[in-house]
């Protein structure tokens, strides 16, 4: 795959086209909608679709719950295979560390959920526990006004 069909003297290209070529978004229209929705920032500020991207710029892209900060390494207006697209940018160390921290927090949060459905024996034990405790509850907390 050729890296770019840009002229040699070109210094920048449209951000929506670069995001599409770098495979952050599946189509240019989705990239455009994300930019207009404030999901893409350069230098902490929202950008317009026609903003030019240059090598060395730091771009922050939010996709769902993930937020990546990348530095532009190369320009390309041709969308190619993912391994080639990943050479167009480099994610910052801070961004990688932040995403890993958030991912580990999400995993810890999900520990409250069981990994499997209760077996028949588990269901019987749960039912037995509920029955025993409901009798205690009924004895302790009577709603009768006697």
């Amino acid at each position: 795959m050729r890296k770019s069909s840009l002229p040699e003297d070109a210094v920048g290209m449209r951000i929506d086209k670069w995001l599409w070529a770098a495979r952050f978004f599946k189509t240019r229209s989705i990239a455009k909608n994300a930019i207009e929705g404030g999901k893409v920032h350069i230098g902490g500020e929202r950008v317009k679709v026609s903003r030019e991207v240059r090598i060395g710029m730091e771009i922050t892209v939010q996709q769902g719950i993930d937020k990546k900060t990348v530095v532009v390494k190369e320009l390309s207006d041709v969308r190619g295979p993912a391994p080639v697209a990943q050479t167009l940018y480099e994610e910052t160390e801070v961004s990688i560390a932040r995403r890993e921290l958030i991912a580990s927090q999400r995993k810890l949060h999900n520990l409250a959920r069981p990994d499997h459905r209760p077996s028949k024996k588990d269901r019987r034990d749960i039912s037995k526990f509920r029955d025993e405790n409901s009798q205690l509850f009924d004895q302790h907390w009577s709603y009768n006004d006697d």
Side-chain angles (χ1 to χ4, degrees), residues 15-42:
I15 190 164
D16 63 331
K17 201 166 190 178
W18 185 84
L19 288 169
W20 167 76
R23 290 183 165 264
F24 282 98
F25 299 101
K26 194 170 183 176
T27 65
R28 280 184 63 189
S29 63
I30 295 173
K32 175 183 173 265
N33 291 337
I35 293 167
E36 289 173 347
K39 306 289 186 194
V40 180
H41 293 80
I42 294 179

Side-chain angles (χ1 to χ4, degrees), residues 126-136:
I126 292 169
S127 178
K128 182 179 174 184
F129 178 79
R130 282 185 182 157
D131 290 343
E132 290 172 358
N133 286 328
S134 69
Q135 291 171 359
L136 288 174

Side-chain angles (χ1 to χ4, degrees), residues 4-131:
S4 176
S5 62
L6 297 171
E8 293 297 322
D9 58 346
V11 219
M13 65 182 296
R14 289 174 58 106
I15 190 164
D16 63 331
K17 201 166 190 178
W18 185 84
L19 288 169
W20 167 76
R23 290 183 165 264
F24 282 98
F25 299 101
K26 194 170 183 176
T27 65
R28 280 184 63 189
S29 63
I30 295 173
K32 175 183 173 265
N33 291 337
I35 293 167
E36 289 173 347
K39 306 289 186 194
V40 180
H41 293 80
I42 294 179
E45 294 186 14
R46 288 177 66 162
V47 296
K48 292 185 178 180
V49 180
S50 60
R51 173 80 184 258
E52 280 203 352
V53 176
R54 293 185 175 87
I55 294 175
M57 280 187 155
E58 194 171 280
I59 301 173
T60 303
V61 180
Q62 183 172 348
Q63 295 175 299
I65 56 175
D66 282 343
K67 196 175 209 179
K68 291 182 183 178
T69 303
V70 297
V71 176
V72 179
K73 293 290 181 189
E74 293 182 42
L75 299 178
S76 175
D77 60 349
V78 179
R79 185 175 170 97
V84 175
Q86 290 172 350
T87 63
L88 299 179
Y89 62 90
E90 181 179 344
E91 189 172 2
T92 63
E93 296 295 324
V94 174
S95 175
I96 293 170
R98 183 179 58 225
R99 284 190 317 110
E100 288 175 352
L101 175 66
I102 291 170
S104 66
Q105 288 174 345
R106 269 196 318 265
K107 286 178 186 174
L108 288 174
H109 181 68
N110 285 335
L111 288 178
R113 296 184 187 151
D115 292 337
H116 63 283
R117 291 178 53 189
S119 66
K120 189 170 183 177
K121 182 183 182 318
D122 293 337
R123 288 194 305 272
R124 285 184 188 140
D125 291 342
I126 292 169
S127 178
K128 182 179 174 184
F129 178 79
R130 282 185 182 157
D131 290 343

